[in-house]
Structures are given as structure tokens and as C-alpha cells.
Amino acid sequence: QVQLVESGGGLVQAGGSLRLSCAASGGIFSTYAMAWFRQAPGKERENVARINWNGRSADYANSVKGRFTITRDNSKNTVYLQINTLTPTDTAVYYCAAGQGRGSYAYPLRYDYWGQGTQVTVSS
């Protein structure tokens, strides 16, 4: 089975930046679409970013558009989430996820593999 391990979270002051990493193993990385989710206390899980198998397509939740950038390096089996201009509302556990695309559609309806998450805390 595919295993995903996130890293890069931590405590950051508002206005700062973080780069989260997700290392994948146990599968053919280039066949998977990848995504980042987050869940804050008292809120529903939110899909903040996703990227297709070759990195040529990506999109973002409106709540993070313009500040978050998802990228992937298939040679390293790794996906990244660059987070800029952090605000306290970004505080959440961030999860990496993987799933197969659906034919010509870039993104899966459901993500089959999940990491354990990395905590991002933004102080004011």
C-alpha cells in the first residue's frame, strides 16, 4: 500500500511562511494525483490544494488561493505545499493524500491514501 509521511509543520508567526513536504512510498508516484487537506478544531476537513499526476494542473480552495502553492517532484516521490502570508486561520492539521485520476479527469473523487498529518500553528 502507498504510505505518505508529512513534514514541515510547526509554530510560525503571522505573516511568515512554511513549506510542507509529503514523501510517498509503496506505489508508482507519477500515477497518482496528490492533494493537501487541512482540518482545524471545530471545522470540517477542507481540501486546500490538489495537483495532477504530472504537475501540469493544480487548483486551490478559495480560502487559500493566492497564498498556497502545491508542487510535486516525481523524481523524489514528493509533493510540497508552500504556504505564504500565514494567518491564524491557517492553524490546522495538514494532511497529504493520494488518489488515482479518473480517465481524462485530473483528480479523483476520493483519495485512497492519507498521511498522519502535520500540525501548523500560526501565532498572532
Side-chain angles (χ1 to χ4, degrees), residues 38 63-69 82-87 90:
R38 69 182 183 186
S63 58
V64 306
K65 192 172 297 182
R67 297 189 298 114
F68 286 27
T69 303
Q82 178 69 40
I83 309 175
N84 295 328
T85 318
L86 281 156
T87 75
D90 295 320

Side-chain angles (χ1 to χ4, degrees), residues 2 10 18 36 56 69 72 77 81 87 106 112 124:
V2 174
L18 283 174
W36 287 96
R56 296 175 67 88
T69 303
R72 67 190 298 160
N77 290 350
L81 185 68
T87 75
D112 297 313
S124 60

Side-chain angles (χ1 to χ4, degrees), residues 18-66:
L18 283 174
R19 189 178 76 158
L20 308 183
S21 298
C22 173
S25 62
I28 303 174
F29 183 71
S30 62
T31 67
Y32 291 93
M34 303 295 296
W36 287 96
F37 291 75
R38 69 182 183 186
Q39 188 162 24
K43 296 183 179 179
E44 296 182 357
R45 188 176 62 195
E46 179 184 25
N47 181 199
V48 296
R50 56 189 185 177
I51 190 167
N52 81 325
W53 68 274
N54 63 8
R56 296 175 67 88
S57 298
D59 61 18
Y60 303 89
N62 288 335
S63 58
V64 306
K65 192 172 297 182

Side-chain angles (χ1 to χ4, degrees), residues 6-12 17-22 36 118-120:
E6 302 97 335
S7 62
L11 175 62
V12 184
S17 298
L18 283 174
R19 189 178 76 158
L20 308 183
S21 298
C22 173
W36 287 96
T118 184
Q119 177 72 49
V120 172

